Every structure is written in structure tokens, then in C-alpha cells.
Amino acid sequence: MTGQQRRLTAHRIASAAVEHLPLRPLWLCRRCGQPWPCGTAKLALVAEYQDAPVSLFLYLTGCLHDAIDDLLRLNASMTGSGADMFDRFLGWPARHIHSYRATTTRSSDVEEASS
């Protein structure tokens, strides 16, 4: 293997090892450059925390807090609204994790359960 081939192989291995993690203080994905959590990071987080959804929410709450601090320090006018930040970090798992989906109950269901 020539030196050039070794460098190309090492670059491919190093690139594959980079996960979709946040680049602070910008809160962009280190791998794809999208606002973190990017789509791939969301999939990885759901898989990692599939048996502990409350822990996922706690982790993302900490990330939200840090992101607000970092982004406000960098450029307060570009941070976005609180609702946008909340949705970016905490809204998506609430919509996609089955155990946290809101369900509606009919009044007849409540009456049947209480009798």
C-alpha cells in the first residue's frame, strides 16, 4: 500500500468515525452541518434511548439549556424564538416516541372506567 492509499484509507476511517454530534457553540451537526439534532442524530438518539425515553428528554433538556446559552451569547438576534428552540430539541421526541403521544379520551371511556 502506497502512502497515498494509506492516507485515503485513514481519511475514510476517520470520516466514518465522526458521529452526528453537536458542534458547540454553534449547535450544528459536526458531520452534516445541519442544525443539531439533525435527522440522523434524532434516529440515533431514539435508538440509544429506546428503553429510557425519560432519560432522552432529560438529556435533550440539558442540551436545550446549553444551546440557548451558547446561541444567545453568540448572536441573540439569530437564536430564534423560544418555541422554535423548544421544538428543535424537545418537540420531535414528544411527537415520535409512542409512549409520549397524547391520546384523547371520550367521556364515555372515562365513565366506563370509573364504574
Side-chain angles (χ1 to χ4, degrees):
M1 184 181 284
T2 67
Q4 176 68 17
Q5 290 171 326
R6 275 194 299 274
R7 280 192 296 278
L8 289 174
T9 301
H11 176 70
R12 266 189 252 121
I13 292 170
S15 295
V18 176
E19 297 179 35
H20 290 261
L21 298 172
L23 175 64
R24 290 184 66 182
L26 299 173
W27 287 90
L28 298 175
C29 177
R30 290 178 182 268
R31 180 111 188 226
C32 65
Q34 296 296 313
W36 192 90
C38 63
T40 304
K42 290 175 183 178
L43 292 173
L45 288 166
V46 167
E48 181 178 347
Y49 288 95
Q50 73 182 25
D51 296 327
V54 172
S55 296
L56 173 61
F57 280 95
L58 292 172
Y59 171 68
L60 290 172
T61 299
C63 291
L64 171 62
H65 181 270
D66 291 345
I68 289 171
D69 284 348
D70 288 346
L71 294 172
L72 284 174
R73 204 172 300 123
L74 285 176
N75 188 351
S77 65
M78 297 299 289
T79 300
S81 72
D84 291 341
M85 292 296 289
F86 180 89
D87 192 53
R88 175 176 167 182
F89 285 88
L90 297 171
W92 67 268
R95 288 189 303 271
H96 298 289
I97 295 176
H98 178 69
S99 61
Y100 284 92
R101 289 187 184 153
T103 58
T104 58
T105 57
R106 297 183 315 246
S107 60
S108 60
D109 293 341
V110 174
E111 290 171 8
E112 288 174 13
S114 62
S115 54

